[in-house]
Every structure is written in C-alpha cells, then in structure tokens.
Amino acid sequence: MNPVPARKYTDSLQTEVDASYLYGRIAAAEEVPAIARLFQELGEIEQEHAEKMQQRLKQDGHDISLPPPSWRARVLDRLGKILGYGYVIGVLMDTEKSIAVAQLSLKEKSNIAPSGDEVNHVRILQTLLNNKSKVTGEHISRIEGKHRSIGGNALRAAVLGANDGLVSNMSLVMGVAGATNGGSGVLLAGLAGLLAGALSMALGEWISVKSSQELYERQMALEMLEIETNPEGELRELALIYIAKGLPEEQAHQMAATAMSDPKRAHDILVKEELGINRDELEGSAWEAAIASFLLFAVGAVLPVIPFFYTSGNSAIIQSLVFSTLGLFIIGAAITLFTGKSVWYSGARQVLFGLAAAAITFFIGKWIGVSLAG
C-alpha cells in the first residue's frame, strides 16, 4: 500500500470535520424533527469518515489528531444563525462534491477499490427521497426550497457587489490620478464613478428582480389556467413527476389524483416541480434589492477615493493604493467562504488582479496626461 502525502490527507480530514460540524449545527437549528434527524445522521457519517482518515494517516506514519472545526466553518455557522442555514446547505452541497472527488482520488492513488459510498452525500434531496419513511413530501419541498434559493443569496451578492465597486472605481481613480498626478480632479472623478456605478448597479438589480417576478407570475397564472382547462393532462404530468422521483407507478397516480382534488395544492406542486419556481423569490422587494446593490457597490467604490478628501498628489495615490489593497484582500478572504481555498491564496490573488487593473489604467492615464501636456 503506497503512502499518501500527509498534506492531501489532512486537507480532506479538515473538510470532513467541518462538514460534520456544520451538519450538526444545521440539525440543531432545524425545527422539523425528521429533517433534523437527517442532518444529524449526515454529520455522524462525516465524523466516521474523518476518524477513518485519521486511522489511515497513522498507518502511513502520520500521527495527526482530529482538528477542530476551522475558522471558515465557524464563520459559516454564525452566518447561518444570521442569514438562515439555507445558505450553509448550499455550501455543503459544493463541499460534498469536493469530498467525493478527494476520496476517489486518494483511493485511486492508494490502489483501493471504490466502495460506491463516496458520492452518497452529493445530493441531499436524493437521500431524502430514499428515506420516505422518515421524511414526507412536505419536508422534501422544504429542503428543496432552501436549496433552490441559494443561488442569489445576500452574502454572495454583498461580496461581489463590493468587489465590483472597488475594482472599477480604483481603476478609474488611478487612471485620472495618472493623468493629473493626483490632482484635485481625482476626487470629482472618483465620486462621479462611485455614483454612476452604484446607480447603474441599482437599476440593473431592480430590473432583474422585477422582470423575474413578472415572468414567474405569468408562468404561474398559465399553469393555473392549464389546471382549470385540462385537468386530465395536468394529472398525467403530476404522476410522471412522482414517477421520476422514484415512486411506484400506482402510488404516483394515487398521489397525483389526491393532489388534483385540490387545485391550489396541485398548482403549488406543479409550480415548484414543473416550472422550478421558488415562491420565496416572488416575495423579495425589487426596491430593497436595488438599494442593497447601491450601498454595496458604494462601500467598495469609496475606499480608493477616501485619501483624496484630505490630501492630493503622490501621498493620496499611495494611500489610495493601500486602502484598496486592504479592501481587495478582505474581499478575497471573504470569497473563501464560497470556495474553501486558503485565505492567503484567495486574498493575494484578489490583490494581484486588482492592482494589475489599477496599474494598467494608471499608466494609460499617465500617457494621456503627458500627450495632452506635450
């Protein structure tokens, strides 16, 4: 049996420990006992995986203790308490995929045949559907709704919005600073860039949310019309949906008939299953989304402008770069909540790309300024 590099094993070990910890925290916060038991069981299985990895490490001569939950896992837990654990479930979906890949890779390098259980946790919905005795269709919908609402979560929007504001306005400020040697015009340009960019982001977000809501509402109205005008066809569609989920054909038709006896209930099911619409997305305010986008963009965009309020010239340029570098690193560190990468790697990468953009616009501005002066 070939020894496995300790670093790769310990990285996977930390991932397993974090997943176990987060599943346990989600279970503790879950109000529905059946769903809480599911997450508790998933956490126990991840803990078993971690212990087996630890044993394997010892066999390879690496005496490593089980690590505590990482800072990333603890931050995600705190965010779950504030924003709801739906976001954390989405992160765990991605984590499960990385765990499966890591397990298969390690087993391949160690000449161990896959057992088939490496991908058991990749899809929580599949686990729910295979455990119908404990979890009802209502509970399945609850988890599915949480999962589908992950894509537009507020945390990701906050980080990306601040990043857009910082990078775009820093590039603008450095371009004007290069052309004017950090003169008074930089402040005006920076504030104009902040306002224009924030307004553009807000308008774009308002249009996006409003148009999505209007589209969903129209699709839902059409679905209700189909139920009223062609109940037999909708009954067959609903039965096929249940069959696709793994239910026996006879049971699927019975459940479909029961659902169709109540048009509102049938409509709710078809809206979610056939159209893939999460009703929570219809409850969001387009104005709230627009205001949030404006503020988040402005938070990032104001950083490179701050020094030009009280100084100018090279001093302001240097301070602007310092503020922007700190902001870029913090944003890069925040991105690790989504990616799981090293804070230093992600932060340094963000700083590198941001400063590269600033350098390009600075030297272009310098060239333009020299050309105009000449």
Side-chain angles (χ1 to χ4, degrees), residues 7-81:
R7 176 59 186 272
K8 289 187 178 181
Y9 234 147
T10 52
D11 286 347
S12 295
L13 186 65
Q14 183 67 66
T15 303
E16 297 280 6
V17 169
D18 288 350
S20 176
Y21 170 76
L22 289 173
Y23 277 133
R25 301 303 297 165
I26 294 171
E30 180 54 57
E31 299 175 356
V32 179
I35 297 178
R37 284 197 302 271
L38 169 69
F39 286 122
Q40 189 63 46
E41 290 173 8
L42 290 173
E44 291 171 357
I45 293 172
E46 296 294 1
Q47 183 67 22
E48 291 175 4
H49 288 170
E51 292 171 355
K52 288 180 180 179
M53 282 190 180
Q54 182 189 27
Q55 293 173 5
R56 173 62 198 281
L57 277 169
K58 290 183 177 179
Q59 293 175 4
D60 289 339
H62 305 292
D63 189 11
I64 297 178
S65 302
L66 283 179
S70 67
W71 71 269
R72 177 175 179 260
R74 295 185 183 278
V75 170
L76 285 172
D77 176 44
R78 290 191 175 276
L79 290 173
K81 292 178 180 178

Side-chain angles (χ1 to χ4, degrees), residues 65-358:
S65 302
L66 283 179
S70 67
W71 71 269
R72 177 175 179 260
R74 295 185 183 278
V75 170
L76 285 172
D77 176 44
R78 290 191 175 276
L79 290 173
K81 292 178 180 178
I82 298 171
L83 303 177
Y85 280 95
Y87 167 71
V88 182
I89 294 172
V91 172
L92 282 170
M93 291 287 193
D94 296 332
T95 300
E96 293 292 359
K97 295 177 183 178
S98 67
I99 289 175
V101 171
Q103 287 178 345
L104 290 170
S105 176
L106 289 171
K107 287 186 176 183
E108 181 181 355
K109 291 180 179 180
S110 304
N111 297 321
I112 300 175
S115 62
D117 64 352
E118 295 85 2
V119 295
N120 281 349
H121 297 170
V122 172
R123 293 183 299 172
I124 292 180
L125 282 178
Q126 182 176 356
T127 305
L128 285 167
L129 291 172
N130 290 335
N131 197 11
K132 301 181 187 67
S133 63
K134 292 185 178 180
V135 184
T136 66
E138 180 183 353
H139 297 158
I140 293 172
S141 299
R142 180 186 176 97
I143 291 292
E144 189 175 35
K146 285 183 179 180
H147 173 55
R148 285 181 177 173
S149 66
I150 298 303
N153 66 80
L155 179 60
R156 189 184 299 272
V159 173
L160 297 182
N163 180 69
D164 288 344
L166 175 53
V167 174
S168 62
N169 215 37
M170 177 178 63
S171 299
L172 172 64
V173 166
M174 287 299 110
V176 177
T180 64
N181 292 320
S184 57
V186 179
L187 178 60
L188 179 60
L191 292 176
L194 184 157
L195 185 60
L199 287 172
S200 176
M201 288 286 291
L203 178 60
E205 189 67 18
W206 187 90
I207 293 174
S208 175
V209 172
K210 201 66 178 176
S211 60
S212 294
Q213 290 176 338
E214 291 171 352
L215 174 61
Y216 290 159
E217 288 169 356
R218 175 171 173 75
Q219 290 177 330
M220 291 167 63
L222 289 174
E223 191 64 40
M224 178 57 80
L225 182 62
E226 290 176 359
I227 292 174
E228 295 172 349
T229 59
N230 184 23
E232 295 82 6
E234 295 303 298
L235 175 64
R236 289 195 297 271
E237 284 188 12
L238 192 52
L240 288 174
I241 289 172
Y242 286 133
I243 292 171
K245 285 180 171 291
L247 290 175
E249 186 173 347
E250 182 178 353
Q251 183 181 357
H253 283 283
Q254 290 176 351
M255 291 180 64
T258 301
M260 286 299 294
S261 65
D262 181 355
K264 184 178 183 302
R265 180 185 175 193
H267 182 253
D268 289 341
I269 295 173
L270 287 167
V271 162
K272 177 168 60 63
E273 301 291 352
E274 183 181 354
L275 302 180
I277 295 176
N278 177 18
R279 286 185 179 274
D280 291 341
E281 296 177 5
L282 299 176
E283 298 175 359
S285 167
W287 284 109
E288 288 180 1
I291 293 171
S293 293
F294 181 95
L295 294 176
L296 293 169
F297 186 95
V299 166
V302 76
L303 289 177
V305 182
I306 291 174
F308 293 94
F309 279 102
Y310 55 82
T311 188
S312 61
N314 290 333
S315 175
I317 294 174
I318 293 172
Q319 290 183 54
S320 177
L321 288 173
V322 171
F323 287 173
S324 299
T325 298
L326 290 174
L328 287 167
F329 187 86
I330 292 172
I331 289 172
I335 290 174
T336 63
L337 293 174
F338 316 129
T339 65
K341 294 285 187 180
S342 162
V343 171
W344 293 105
Y345 169 82
S346 186
R349 180 180 61 182
Q350 199 74 9
V351 169
L352 178 63
F353 289 156
L355 292 183

